[in-house]
Amino acid sequence: MKKIGEYTVRGQIPEGTDNTKKIELFDGTFTSGYRVVKFVIAGARADDTSSDAVAKLMTENIGTSADFWNWNDNREIGWASTDHRTADGVQNVFSEIDPDNLIVEDLFITAQNRSASNPNINYMITMIKYDISEYQGA
């Protein structure tokens, strides 16, 4: 694999079971792929003590379930959460990424939080793009 460059996407996603966002990465060939190296989230309002949030990255749109995170499912490749215990902003941050991830087609993100007044969740994902063989891409 040869490194081509670095790619960052960021934005907001509304909280909820039906709000999975597709991040289009597929360029029509199977000779390039992306590896997620950083994934962070935060509630849209730092002063909202109920802006605790959880999110996950997936290689397919598998949505959510009662077990929001399922590390046994190979389609889930990244998990993140934030904890707003006070109105002073984020207190605790968690982020874990499967170090063996490689995305050839598209990436999906879904998130949930506890805030009824501000359901939006910010995200930032940093990826490295690689030139790969068709064999690896398949």
Side-chain angles (χ1 to χ4, degrees):
M1 288 192 315
K2 178 183 174 187
K3 182 179 175 179
I4 297 174
E6 203 167 291
Y7 182 58
T8 300
V9 293
R10 62 189 178 109
Q12 283 189 337
I13 183 170
E15 182 273 340
T17 57
D18 297 328
N19 294 326
T20 298
K21 185 173 186 176
K22 180 180 181 180
I23 300 168
E24 295 187 26
L25 300 173
F26 190 55
D27 61 5
T29 71
F30 290 95
T31 59
S32 62
Y34 295 84
R35 176 167 285 148
V36 175
V37 294
K38 186 175 181 182
F39 175 41
V40 293
I41 64 167
R45 286 190 50 190
D47 63 343
D48 185 349
T49 59
S50 65
S51 283
D52 300 350
V54 295
K56 67 181 174 182
L57 297 175
M58 307 162 288
T59 56
E60 295 178 26
N61 184 359
I62 56 175
T64 62
S65 65
D67 296 331
F68 187 79
W69 290 346
N70 180 359
W71 293 20
N72 193 43
D73 189 334
N74 289 334
R75 297 169 296 181
E76 293 187 18
I77 62 166
W79 309 268
S81 67
T82 61
D83 180 8
H84 287 174
R85 294 184 186 205
T86 69
D88 296 330
V90 176
Q91 298 298 307
N92 296 308
V93 176
F94 169 83
S95 179
E96 190 65 44
I97 300 163
D98 180 347
D100 294 329
N101 78 83
L102 182 65
I103 305 155
V104 177
E105 295 189 37
D106 296 314
L107 181 63
F108 298 86
I109 180 173
T110 189
Q112 295 179 343
N113 73 7
R114 295 186 309 143
S115 177
S117 63
N118 191 23
N120 290 324
I121 300 164
N122 294 303
Y123 66 88
M124 186 166 61
I125 306 161
T126 304
M127 295 171 274
I128 297 174
K129 186 174 183 178
Y130 290 97
D131 183 20
I132 60 176
S133 68
E134 285 189 24
Y135 170 76
Q136 289 173 306

